[in-house]
Amino acid sequence: MGSDMCIREMLCTAMVVSMVAGCSGGGNSDGGSQDSAEESTESDGEDAGSADFAGEELSILVSAGWMDNRYDDTIARFEETYDVTVDLQTIPADQYSDILQSKLSTDSCADIFWIQSNPFAISSVIVDPEKYCIDFSDAGWKDTMPEARLSSCEYDGKLYGLQIWHNSPEYVMVYNKTLFEELKLEIPTTYDEMLKVCETIAAEDITPWFLPGADGWQHQLAFFQIGGVYEEAEPGLYDALNDNTATFADNEKMLEVLGQFKELSDKGYFGEDWIGTDSANMANEFGDRNCAMAMANSSYIKQIQEETGTEDEFGLFLIPLGDNSSFPTNPAGPTMFGYKGTEHEELVKTFFDFVTSTESLQEILDNSPAYTNLDVNDDGLEQHWLPEEEEFMATVDKDKMGTAVLQTGTKYTNDYWGDFGADMISFCQDQSEANDVLKNMDSNRAEAAKIAGDSAWE
Protein backbone atom coordinates (compact mmCIF):
# COMPACT_ATOMS: atom_id res chain seq x y z
CA MET A 1 0.00 0.00 0.00
CA GLY A 2 0.93 3.56 -0.10
CA SER A 3 3.75 4.38 2.15
CA ASP A 4 2.00 7.50 3.40
CA MET A 5 -0.95 5.32 4.39
CA CYS A 6 1.44 3.60 6.79
CA ILE A 7 0.90 -0.02 5.79
CA ARG A 8 3.82 -1.17 7.81
CA GLU A 9 2.44 0.40 10.99
CA MET A 10 -0.07 -2.48 11.20
CA LEU A 11 2.79 -4.39 12.80
CA CYS A 12 4.14 -1.55 14.95
CA THR A 13 3.19 -0.83 18.54
CA ALA A 14 2.24 2.66 19.62
CA MET A 15 5.03 4.73 21.10
CA VAL A 16 4.78 6.96 24.13
CA VAL A 17 4.54 10.51 22.89
CA SER A 18 7.00 12.94 24.43
CA MET A 19 6.38 16.08 22.49
CA VAL A 20 8.49 19.08 23.36
CA ALA A 21 7.29 22.58 22.60
CA GLY A 22 9.48 23.96 19.83
CA CYS A 23 12.60 22.20 18.61
CA SER A 24 16.14 23.33 18.35
CA GLY A 25 17.26 24.14 15.43
CA GLY A 26 28.41 9.63 7.70
CA GLY A 27 28.52 5.58 8.87
CA ASN A 28 30.90 2.77 8.61
CA SER A 29 29.38 -0.25 6.95
CA ASP A 30 32.53 -2.21 7.38
CA GLY A 31 30.92 -5.22 5.72
CA GLY A 32 33.30 -7.59 7.45
CA SER A 33 33.63 -9.93 10.40
CA GLN A 34 33.04 -9.39 14.09
CA ASP A 35 36.54 -7.96 14.24
CA SER A 36 35.35 -5.24 11.90
CA ALA A 37 32.47 -4.47 14.21
CA GLU A 38 34.88 -4.14 17.13
CA GLU A 39 37.10 -1.87 15.08
CA SER A 40 34.04 0.24 14.30
CA THR A 41 33.27 0.55 18.01
CA GLU A 42 36.86 1.51 18.74
CA SER A 43 36.66 4.11 16.00
CA ASP A 44 33.54 5.56 17.62
CA GLY A 45 35.43 5.83 20.86
CA GLU A 46 38.30 7.62 19.15
CA ASP A 47 35.84 10.04 17.58
CA ALA A 48 34.43 10.71 21.03
CA GLY A 49 37.85 11.68 22.21
CA SER A 50 38.62 13.97 19.28
CA ALA A 51 35.19 15.60 18.97
CA ASP A 52 34.03 17.46 22.05
CA PHE A 53 30.24 17.32 22.06
CA ALA A 54 29.95 17.11 25.84
CA GLY A 55 26.76 18.68 27.11
CA GLU A 56 25.15 19.13 23.69
CA GLU A 57 21.61 18.04 22.92
CA LEU A 58 20.53 16.33 19.68
CA SER A 59 16.83 16.64 18.84
CA ILE A 60 15.02 14.12 16.61
CA LEU A 61 11.52 14.62 15.20
CA VAL A 62 9.87 11.35 14.15
CA SER A 63 6.44 9.86 13.52
CA ALA A 64 5.21 7.12 15.87
CA GLY A 65 6.15 3.66 14.64
CA TRP A 66 9.24 4.65 12.65
CA MET A 67 11.80 4.20 15.42
CA ASP A 68 9.87 2.50 18.22
CA ASN A 69 12.14 0.70 20.68
CA ARG A 70 14.47 -0.44 17.90
CA TYR A 71 16.78 2.53 18.41
CA ASP A 72 16.65 2.79 22.20
CA ASP A 73 19.87 0.90 22.95
CA THR A 74 21.74 2.62 20.13
CA ILE A 75 20.63 6.07 21.27
CA ALA A 76 21.61 5.27 24.87
CA ARG A 77 25.04 4.13 23.72
CA PHE A 78 25.43 7.26 21.58
CA GLU A 79 24.59 9.46 24.56
CA GLU A 80 27.13 7.66 26.72
CA THR A 81 29.84 7.65 24.05
CA TYR A 82 29.67 11.38 23.36
CA ASP A 83 28.34 12.66 26.69
CA VAL A 84 25.27 14.17 25.02
CA THR A 85 21.51 13.88 25.39
CA VAL A 86 19.05 12.94 22.67
CA ASP A 87 15.65 14.63 22.72
CA LEU A 88 13.40 12.18 20.88
CA GLN A 89 10.17 13.93 19.88
CA THR A 90 7.70 11.24 18.80
CA ILE A 91 4.56 12.58 17.13
CA PRO A 92 1.30 10.69 16.45
CA ALA A 93 1.21 9.58 12.83
CA ASP A 94 -1.92 11.56 11.95
CA GLN A 95 -0.31 14.80 13.16
CA TYR A 96 3.26 14.30 11.99
CA SER A 97 3.09 15.67 8.46
CA ASP A 98 1.49 18.96 9.49
CA ILE A 99 3.90 19.45 12.39
CA LEU A 100 6.93 18.73 10.22
CA GLN A 101 5.80 21.19 7.54
CA SER A 102 5.21 23.82 10.20
CA LYS A 103 8.68 23.30 11.68
CA LEU A 104 10.35 23.50 8.28
CA SER A 105 8.44 26.58 7.17
CA THR A 106 9.27 28.44 10.40
CA ASP A 107 12.94 27.40 10.44
CA SER A 108 12.47 25.74 13.82
CA CYS A 109 12.95 22.07 13.00
CA ALA A 110 14.72 19.44 15.04
CA ASP A 111 18.35 18.60 14.27
CA ILE A 112 17.18 15.36 12.62
CA PHE A 113 13.77 14.79 11.07
CA TRP A 114 12.13 11.85 9.31
CA ILE A 115 9.80 11.43 6.36
CA GLN A 116 8.19 8.37 4.76
CA SER A 117 10.28 8.53 1.61
CA ASN A 118 10.05 7.05 -1.87
CA PRO A 119 11.75 8.01 -5.17
CA PHE A 120 9.49 11.08 -5.47
CA ALA A 121 8.93 12.06 -1.84
CA ILE A 122 11.88 14.39 -1.28
CA SER A 123 10.63 16.86 -3.87
CA SER A 124 6.99 16.58 -2.80
CA VAL A 125 7.39 16.44 0.99
CA ILE A 126 10.52 18.49 1.64
CA VAL A 127 10.13 20.50 -1.60
CA ASP A 128 13.43 22.37 -1.26
CA PRO A 129 16.00 19.89 0.10
CA GLU A 130 18.93 22.17 -0.64
CA LYS A 131 17.46 24.68 1.79
CA TYR A 132 16.39 22.27 4.51
CA CYS A 133 18.70 19.25 4.34
CA ILE A 134 22.35 18.54 5.08
CA ASP A 135 24.17 17.19 2.02
CA PHE A 136 25.61 13.75 2.83
CA SER A 137 26.94 13.01 -0.66
CA ASP A 138 30.45 12.41 0.64
CA ALA A 139 29.41 10.40 3.69
CA GLY A 140 31.15 7.09 4.24
CA TRP A 141 27.86 5.35 5.00
CA LYS A 142 26.47 5.96 1.51
CA ASP A 143 27.57 2.51 0.37
CA THR A 144 25.67 0.96 3.26
CA MET A 145 22.43 1.48 1.37
CA PRO A 146 21.51 -0.68 -1.63
CA GLU A 147 20.93 1.12 -4.91
CA ALA A 148 17.14 0.78 -4.66
CA ARG A 149 17.13 2.49 -1.25
CA LEU A 150 19.33 5.32 -2.51
CA SER A 151 16.61 6.30 -4.99
CA SER A 152 14.47 7.40 -2.04
CA CYS A 153 17.32 9.29 -0.38
CA GLU A 154 18.81 11.28 -3.27
CA TYR A 155 17.60 14.31 -5.14
CA ASP A 156 19.21 16.12 -8.05
CA GLY A 157 22.38 14.06 -7.70
CA LYS A 158 22.84 14.75 -3.98
CA LEU A 159 22.40 12.40 -1.02
CA TYR A 160 20.20 13.80 1.73
CA GLY A 161 18.59 10.87 3.53
CA LEU A 162 19.44 7.64 5.30
CA GLN A 163 17.00 4.75 5.04
CA ILE A 164 17.52 1.74 7.31
CA TRP A 165 14.65 -0.57 6.57
CA HIS A 166 13.94 -4.25 6.05
CA ASN A 167 13.61 -6.33 2.89
CA SER A 168 11.04 -8.87 4.05
CA PRO A 169 8.31 -9.77 1.57
CA GLU A 170 5.64 -7.12 2.02
CA TYR A 171 2.00 -7.84 1.32
CA VAL A 172 2.34 -11.09 -0.52
CA MET A 173 -0.03 -14.01 0.00
CA VAL A 174 0.23 -15.70 3.41
CA TYR A 175 -1.40 -19.13 3.24
CA ASN A 176 -2.12 -22.08 5.49
CA LYS A 177 0.36 -24.64 4.21
CA THR A 178 -1.08 -27.43 6.36
CA LEU A 179 -4.57 -26.86 4.99
CA PHE A 180 -3.26 -26.77 1.42
CA GLU A 181 -1.52 -30.11 1.95
CA GLU A 182 -4.67 -31.68 3.40
CA LEU A 183 -6.68 -30.52 0.39
CA LYS A 184 -3.86 -31.55 -1.98
CA LEU A 185 -3.53 -28.01 -3.32
CA GLU A 186 -0.48 -26.55 -5.03
CA ILE A 187 0.58 -22.92 -4.73
CA PRO A 188 -1.18 -21.02 -7.54
CA THR A 189 1.17 -19.18 -9.91
CA THR A 190 -1.49 -18.00 -12.40
CA TYR A 191 -4.92 -16.50 -12.04
CA ASP A 192 -6.63 -19.60 -13.42
CA GLU A 193 -4.84 -21.72 -10.84
CA MET A 194 -5.87 -19.27 -8.12
CA LEU A 195 -9.49 -19.53 -9.22
CA LYS A 196 -9.42 -23.33 -8.94
CA VAL A 197 -7.72 -23.20 -5.53
CA CYS A 198 -10.39 -20.79 -4.27
CA GLU A 199 -13.14 -23.03 -5.60
CA THR A 200 -11.77 -26.05 -3.73
CA ILE A 201 -11.34 -24.14 -0.48
CA ALA A 202 -14.78 -22.53 -0.69
CA ALA A 203 -16.30 -26.00 -1.10
CA GLU A 204 -14.98 -26.74 2.41
CA ASP A 205 -16.95 -23.76 3.75
CA ILE A 206 -13.71 -21.84 4.32
CA THR A 207 -13.11 -18.30 3.07
CA PRO A 208 -10.39 -18.69 0.43
CA TRP A 209 -8.93 -15.17 0.57
CA PHE A 210 -9.64 -13.03 3.63
CA LEU A 211 -9.83 -9.42 2.43
CA PRO A 212 -10.68 -6.69 4.98
CA GLY A 213 -12.29 -4.03 2.81
CA ALA A 214 -13.47 -1.95 5.76
CA ASP A 215 -9.88 -1.03 6.62
CA GLY A 216 -9.97 1.14 3.52
CA TRP A 217 -6.36 0.53 2.48
CA GLN A 218 -5.76 -3.20 2.23
CA HIS A 219 -7.70 -4.34 -0.82
CA GLN A 220 -5.79 -1.92 -3.11
CA LEU A 221 -2.65 -3.95 -2.45
CA ALA A 222 -3.92 -6.68 -4.79
CA PHE A 223 -3.67 -4.18 -7.65
CA PHE A 224 -0.60 -2.13 -6.71
CA GLN A 225 1.80 -4.73 -5.28
CA ILE A 226 2.06 -6.43 -8.68
CA GLY A 227 3.49 -3.42 -10.51
CA GLY A 228 6.08 -5.58 -12.22
CA VAL A 229 3.39 -7.39 -14.22
CA TYR A 230 2.22 -4.10 -15.77
CA GLU A 231 5.76 -3.07 -16.67
CA GLU A 232 6.47 -6.51 -18.10
CA ALA A 233 3.33 -6.36 -20.25
CA GLU A 234 4.27 -2.92 -21.53
CA PRO A 235 8.03 -2.23 -21.14
CA GLY A 236 8.73 1.41 -20.37
CA LEU A 237 5.27 1.95 -18.85
CA TYR A 238 6.58 3.44 -15.60
CA ASP A 239 8.69 6.02 -17.43
CA ALA A 240 5.78 6.82 -19.72
CA LEU A 241 3.43 7.31 -16.76
CA ASN A 242 5.98 9.58 -15.11
CA ASP A 243 6.46 11.57 -18.33
CA ASN A 244 2.70 11.80 -18.87
CA THR A 245 2.92 9.97 -22.18
CA ALA A 246 0.84 7.03 -20.94
CA THR A 247 -2.28 6.65 -18.82
CA PHE A 248 -3.81 4.16 -16.44
CA ALA A 249 -7.00 4.25 -18.46
CA ASP A 250 -7.26 1.67 -21.26
CA ASN A 251 -4.23 -0.25 -20.00
CA GLU A 252 -5.10 -3.82 -20.95
CA LYS A 253 -3.24 -5.55 -18.13
CA MET A 254 -4.67 -3.22 -15.48
CA LEU A 255 -8.18 -3.79 -16.82
CA GLU A 256 -7.51 -7.53 -16.76
CA VAL A 257 -6.43 -7.42 -13.10
CA LEU A 258 -9.44 -5.34 -12.05
CA GLY A 259 -11.71 -7.77 -13.86
CA GLN A 260 -10.15 -10.73 -12.06
CA PHE A 261 -10.44 -8.96 -8.72
CA LYS A 262 -14.16 -8.38 -9.32
CA GLU A 263 -14.68 -11.99 -10.38
CA LEU A 264 -13.20 -13.21 -7.09
CA SER A 265 -15.45 -10.76 -5.26
CA ASP A 266 -18.55 -11.82 -7.21
CA LYS A 267 -17.88 -15.50 -6.43
CA GLY A 268 -17.65 -14.74 -2.71
CA TYR A 269 -14.03 -15.85 -2.48
CA PHE A 270 -13.07 -12.78 -0.39
CA GLY A 271 -15.62 -13.72 2.23
CA GLU A 272 -19.19 -12.72 2.96
CA ASP A 273 -19.45 -8.93 3.12
CA TRP A 274 -15.70 -8.45 2.67
CA ILE A 275 -16.34 -4.76 2.00
CA GLY A 276 -17.71 -4.35 5.53
CA THR A 277 -15.10 -6.55 7.25
CA ASP A 278 -11.99 -5.20 8.96
CA SER A 279 -8.70 -6.88 9.84
CA ALA A 280 -9.10 -6.85 13.63
CA ASN A 281 -9.87 -10.57 13.78
CA MET A 282 -7.71 -11.76 10.87
CA ALA A 283 -5.23 -13.75 12.97
CA ASN A 284 -8.05 -15.63 14.66
CA GLU A 285 -9.68 -16.29 11.30
CA PHE A 286 -6.47 -18.04 10.29
CA GLY A 287 -6.10 -19.82 13.62
CA ASP A 288 -9.68 -21.11 13.51
CA ARG A 289 -9.28 -22.14 9.89
CA ASN A 290 -12.06 -19.83 8.80
CA CYS A 291 -9.79 -18.54 6.05
CA ALA A 292 -6.91 -19.98 4.05
CA MET A 293 -5.11 -16.98 2.57
CA ALA A 294 -4.65 -13.23 3.01
CA MET A 295 -2.29 -10.49 1.90
CA ALA A 296 0.15 -9.70 4.69
CA ASN A 297 3.79 -9.16 5.57
CA SER A 298 5.88 -12.26 6.15
CA SER A 299 6.20 -11.56 9.87
CA TYR A 300 2.43 -11.96 10.19
CA ILE A 301 3.03 -15.70 10.27
CA LYS A 302 4.57 -15.32 13.72
CA GLN A 303 1.63 -13.19 14.83
CA ILE A 304 -0.88 -15.85 13.80
CA GLN A 305 0.98 -18.59 15.62
CA GLU A 306 1.66 -16.58 18.76
CA GLU A 307 -1.86 -15.14 19.08
CA THR A 308 -3.80 -18.30 18.27
CA GLY A 309 -1.53 -21.16 19.31
CA THR A 310 -2.30 -22.97 16.07
CA GLU A 311 0.01 -25.81 15.13
CA ASP A 312 -0.66 -25.28 11.42
CA GLU A 313 2.28 -24.26 9.27
CA PHE A 314 2.15 -21.28 6.94
CA GLY A 315 3.92 -20.14 3.83
CA LEU A 316 4.14 -17.34 1.28
CA PHE A 317 3.56 -16.90 -2.43
CA LEU A 318 3.23 -14.04 -4.89
CA ILE A 319 -0.14 -12.44 -5.63
CA PRO A 320 -1.06 -14.24 -8.88
CA LEU A 321 -3.51 -11.73 -10.36
CA GLY A 322 -2.60 -11.00 -13.96
CA ASP A 323 -0.39 -14.12 -13.84
CA ASN A 324 2.07 -12.02 -11.84
CA SER A 325 5.52 -13.42 -11.09
CA SER A 326 7.22 -10.20 -9.91
CA PHE A 327 8.40 -9.62 -6.35
CA PRO A 328 6.88 -6.51 -4.69
CA THR A 329 10.09 -4.52 -4.48
CA ASN A 330 9.50 -1.31 -2.56
CA PRO A 331 12.21 1.35 -2.16
CA ALA A 332 10.00 3.31 0.20
CA GLY A 333 10.47 3.48 3.94
CA PRO A 334 10.96 5.78 6.94
CA THR A 335 14.03 7.90 6.20
CA MET A 336 16.01 10.30 8.37
CA PHE A 337 17.43 13.65 7.28
CA GLY A 338 19.75 16.17 8.86
CA TYR A 339 18.27 19.65 9.23
CA LYS A 340 20.46 22.20 7.50
CA GLY A 341 19.53 24.91 9.99
CA THR A 342 20.87 22.96 12.96
CA GLU A 343 23.43 24.44 15.31
CA HIS A 344 24.85 20.93 15.80
CA GLU A 345 25.75 19.86 12.27
CA GLU A 346 28.84 17.87 13.26
CA LEU A 347 26.89 16.07 15.98
CA VAL A 348 24.18 15.23 13.44
CA LYS A 349 26.77 13.80 11.05
CA THR A 350 28.32 11.83 13.88
CA PHE A 351 24.93 10.34 14.75
CA PHE A 352 24.44 9.19 11.14
CA ASP A 353 27.93 7.65 11.24
CA PHE A 354 27.13 5.98 14.54
CA VAL A 355 23.83 4.34 13.56
CA THR A 356 25.33 2.89 10.36
CA SER A 357 28.15 1.03 12.09
CA THR A 358 27.79 -2.75 12.13
CA GLU A 359 27.32 -2.74 15.89
CA SER A 360 24.44 -0.27 15.71
CA LEU A 361 22.77 -1.97 12.76
CA GLN A 362 22.90 -5.31 14.59
CA GLU A 363 21.47 -3.63 17.67
CA ILE A 364 18.61 -2.08 15.69
CA LEU A 365 17.79 -5.40 14.02
CA ASP A 366 17.96 -7.41 17.25
CA ASN A 367 15.52 -4.95 18.84
CA SER A 368 13.06 -5.19 15.93
CA PRO A 369 10.53 -7.88 16.88
CA ALA A 370 8.48 -7.42 13.70
CA TYR A 371 11.34 -7.54 11.19
CA THR A 372 13.82 -10.28 10.51
CA ASN A 373 16.42 -8.43 8.45
CA LEU A 374 17.81 -5.06 7.41
CA ASP A 375 18.23 -4.16 3.74
CA VAL A 376 21.79 -2.89 3.97
CA ASN A 377 25.15 -3.70 2.44
CA ASP A 378 26.95 -5.11 5.45
CA ASP A 379 28.27 -8.66 5.43
CA GLY A 380 29.03 -8.40 9.13
CA LEU A 381 25.34 -8.23 10.00
CA GLU A 382 23.68 -11.40 11.29
CA GLN A 383 20.23 -11.45 9.70
CA HIS A 384 17.28 -13.31 11.25
CA TRP A 385 15.30 -14.46 8.23
CA LEU A 386 12.37 -16.77 9.02
CA PRO A 387 12.52 -20.23 7.44
CA GLU A 388 9.28 -19.35 5.65
CA GLU A 389 10.89 -16.22 4.22
CA GLU A 390 13.97 -18.09 3.06
CA GLU A 391 11.85 -20.78 1.45
CA PHE A 392 9.77 -18.18 -0.36
CA MET A 393 12.68 -15.99 -1.46
CA ALA A 394 14.36 -19.04 -2.98
CA THR A 395 11.40 -19.40 -5.35
CA VAL A 396 11.54 -15.83 -6.66
CA ASP A 397 13.32 -15.13 -9.92
CA LYS A 398 15.98 -12.53 -9.09
CA ASP A 399 15.33 -10.91 -12.46
CA LYS A 400 11.79 -10.24 -11.27
CA MET A 401 12.89 -8.12 -8.31
CA GLY A 402 13.89 -4.95 -10.15
CA THR A 403 10.55 -3.20 -10.62
CA ALA A 404 9.12 -1.14 -7.79
CA VAL A 405 5.53 -1.58 -6.70
CA LEU A 406 3.23 0.66 -8.71
CA GLN A 407 2.47 3.10 -5.91
CA THR A 408 6.09 4.11 -5.35
CA GLY A 409 7.34 3.60 -8.90
CA THR A 410 5.04 6.17 -10.46
CA LYS A 411 4.45 9.83 -9.64
CA TYR A 412 1.44 11.02 -7.65
CA THR A 413 -0.12 7.54 -7.57
CA ASN A 414 0.36 6.90 -3.87
CA ASP A 415 -1.35 10.21 -3.06
CA TYR A 416 -4.69 8.75 -4.14
CA TRP A 417 -4.54 5.38 -2.46
CA GLY A 418 -7.82 5.85 -0.62
CA ASP A 419 -9.63 7.23 -3.66
CA PHE A 420 -8.54 4.29 -5.78
CA GLY A 421 -9.70 1.86 -3.10
CA ALA A 422 -13.13 3.50 -2.98
CA ASP A 423 -13.34 3.29 -6.76
CA MET A 424 -12.44 -0.42 -6.66
CA ILE A 425 -15.32 -1.03 -4.27
CA SER A 426 -17.66 0.99 -6.46
CA PHE A 427 -16.66 -1.22 -9.38
CA CYS A 428 -17.21 -4.39 -7.38
CA GLN A 429 -20.67 -3.14 -6.46
CA ASP A 430 -21.52 -2.61 -10.16
CA GLN A 431 -21.74 1.15 -9.67
CA SER A 432 -19.00 1.90 -12.22
CA GLU A 433 -16.85 0.27 -14.88
CA ALA A 434 -13.24 -0.92 -14.57
CA ASN A 435 -11.96 1.82 -16.83
CA ASP A 436 -13.68 4.44 -14.67
CA VAL A 437 -11.43 3.37 -11.82
CA LEU A 438 -8.38 3.95 -14.00
CA LYS A 439 -9.66 7.22 -15.49
CA ASN A 440 -10.19 8.64 -12.01
CA MET A 441 -6.59 7.86 -11.12
CA ASP A 442 -5.43 9.71 -14.23
CA SER A 443 -7.52 12.74 -13.30
CA ASN A 444 -6.24 12.76 -9.74
CA ARG A 445 -2.63 12.41 -10.82
CA ALA A 446 -3.06 15.27 -13.28
CA GLU A 447 -4.42 17.49 -10.52
CA ALA A 448 -1.49 16.65 -8.24
CA ALA A 449 0.96 17.30 -11.07
CA LYS A 450 -0.63 20.69 -11.72
CA ILE A 451 -0.27 21.65 -8.06
CA ALA A 452 3.34 20.50 -8.11
CA GLY A 453 4.02 22.48 -11.27
CA ASP A 454 5.18 19.35 -13.09
CA SER A 455 6.15 20.42 -16.61
CA ALA A 456 5.20 17.04 -18.05
CA TRP A 457 1.54 17.84 -17.41
CA GLU A 458 1.57 21.36 -18.84
Side-chain angles (χ1 to χ4, degrees):
M1 134 188 202
S3 301
D4 293 333
M5 300 295 292
C6 301
I7 319 176
R8 299 183 177 88
E9 292 186 25
M10 184 177 85
L11 302 175
C12 298
T13 55
M15 296 185 71
V16 177
V17 176
S18 59
M19 182 157 181
V20 179
C23 27
S24 63
N28 312 325
S29 175
D30 25 60
S33 62
Q34 182 63 34
D35 291 338
S36 299
E38 292 171 356
E39 289 170 6
S40 175
T41 307
E42 291 170 3
S43 174
D44 290 337
E46 291 170 2
D47 289 342
S50 59
D52 185 10
F53 300 123
E56 291 189 29
E57 179 178 276
L58 181 74
S59 55
I60 302 176
L61 187 71
V62 63
S63 175
W66 292 352
M67 294 183 79
D68 286 343
N69 298 328
R70 295 190 291 275
Y71 284 78
D72 284 359
D73 290 347
T74 303
I75 287 174
R77 193 162 49 80
F78 180 77
E79 290 178 317
E80 181 180 359
T81 300
Y82 294 100
D83 192 19
V84 298
T85 56
V86 174
D87 174 20
L88 187 60
Q89 302 164 19
T90 304
I91 311 300
D94 60 347
Q95 301 174 26
Y96 184 75
S97 180
D98 289 341
I99 290 176
L100 173 61
Q101 293 305 320
S102 174
K103 297 297 183 183
L104 290 175
S105 64
T106 57
D107 298 323
S108 60
C109 196
D111 303 313
I112 293 171
F113 64 92
W114 291 63
I115 71 168
Q116 183 75 19
S117 194
N118 61 57
F120 309 106
I122 292 179
S123 59
S124 62
V125 177
I126 302 176
V127 182
D128 190 355
E130 189 170 356
K131 175 180 178 181
Y132 295 117
C133 303
I134 295 173
D135 183 357
F136 288 108
S137 298
D138 296 327
W141 49 261
K142 178 177 181 178
D143 292 337
T144 301
M145 286 189 293
E147 194 65 33
R149 298 281 165 198
L150 282 172
S151 67
S152 297
C153 301
E154 294 180 322
Y155 177 79
D156 199 20
K158 295 181 179 179
L159 176 64
Y160 292 112
L162 169 62
Q163 187 179 114
I164 301 174
W165 200 236
H166 65 92
N167 196 32
S168 290
E170 291 189 317
Y171 291 96
V172 294
M173 300 301 296
V174 171
Y175 76 104
N176 187 318
K177 183 187 294 188
T178 303
L179 178 62
F180 266 53
E181 290 173 353
E182 291 174 3
L183 298 177
K184 297 180 171 55
L185 296 173
E186 299 290 334
I187 291 175
T189 59
T190 67
Y191 175 69
D192 286 343
E193 291 175 359
M194 182 66 161
L195 210 54
K196 292 175 183 176
V197 164
C198 288
E199 181 180 4
T200 301
I201 294 171
E204 299 293 323
D205 200 27
I206 297 171
T207 298
W209 180 343
F210 184 90
L211 195 65
D215 283 9
W217 57 265
Q218 291 216 41
H219 58 282
Q220 299 94 310
L221 293 162
F223 180 87
F224 287 107
Q225 290 293 99
I226 59 174
V229 79
Y230 308 125
E231 178 70 17
E232 185 176 357
E234 189 176 329
L237 175 64
Y238 275 36
D239 288 340
L241 287 170
N242 291 330
D243 293 338
N244 194 30
T245 57
T247 62
F248 277 64
D250 301 316
N251 183 286
E252 291 184 7
K253 181 58 75 169
M254 292 182 181
L255 288 170
E256 175 188 318
V257 168
L258 286 174
Q260 293 172 352
F261 184 89
K262 186 177 187 303
E263 182 176 20
L264 292 170
S265 175
D266 289 345
K267 288 180 177 293
Y269 293 159
F270 293 149
E272 184 178 352
D273 187 30
W274 71 268
I275 293 172
T277 301
D278 63 33
S279 61
N281 201 41
M282 192 163 85
N284 287 328
E285 291 293 300
F286 268 113
D288 294 338
R289 284 199 175 187
N290 291 329
C291 73
M293 301 176 285
M295 291 181 296
N297 294 333
S298 56
S299 58
Y300 196 69
I301 291 173
K302 290 195 302 183
Q303 184 175 339
I304 296 170
Q305 294 169 332
E306 290 173 0
E307 289 187 7
T308 70
T310 179
E311 295 183 1
D312 286 349
E313 295 184 355
F314 296 83
L316 308 163
F317 64 90
L318 295 170
I319 298 170
L321 298 186
D323 296 344
N324 171 61
S325 59
S326 295
F327 183 82
T329 299
N330 194 341
T335 306
M336 70 173 81
F337 295 79
Y339 178 52
K340 195 170 184 178
T342 179
E343 297 178 356
H344 310 285
E345 182 169 335
E346 290 307 312
L347 184 58
V348 170
K349 291 180 177 179
T350 300
F351 183 79
F352 277 63
D353 288 341
F354 194 86
V355 298
T356 49
S357 70
T358 300
E359 181 178 3
S360 294
L361 292 173
Q362 190 69 62
E363 208 165 42
I364 293 166
L365 174 58
D366 291 347
N367 289 324
S368 300
Y371 305 123
T372 60
N373 65 91
L374 292 181
D375 189 20
V376 294
N377 297 322
D378 190 337
D379 294 336
L381 192 64
E382 181 184 349
Q383 305 279 17
H384 305 314
W385 292 94
L386 295 174
E388 295 90 344
E389 289 178 319
E390 293 181 317
E391 180 181 356
F392 167 68
M393 296 296 283
T395 68
V396 179
D397 185 342
K398 298 300 182 290
D399 293 334
K400 298 294 186 74
M401 300 180 70
T403 303
V405 292
L406 189 62
Q407 65 268 30
T408 55
T410 55
K411 290 181 179 179
Y412 314 118
T413 302
N414 189 60
D415 300 343
Y416 297 98
W417 188 268
D419 301 78
F420 194 89
D423 288 339
M424 286 179 71
I425 288 177
S426 176
F427 171 51
C428 287
Q429 293 176 326
D430 296 316
Q431 297 173 357
S432 63
E433 300 296 326
N435 214 30
D436 294 332
V437 180
L438 302 179
K439 287 178 180 178
N440 286 344
M441 176 58 84
D442 289 330
S443 297
N444 286 332
R445 292 178 72 239
E447 182 63 26
K450 180 180 179 180
I451 294 173
D454 194 318
S455 60
W457 270 262
E458 291 179 354

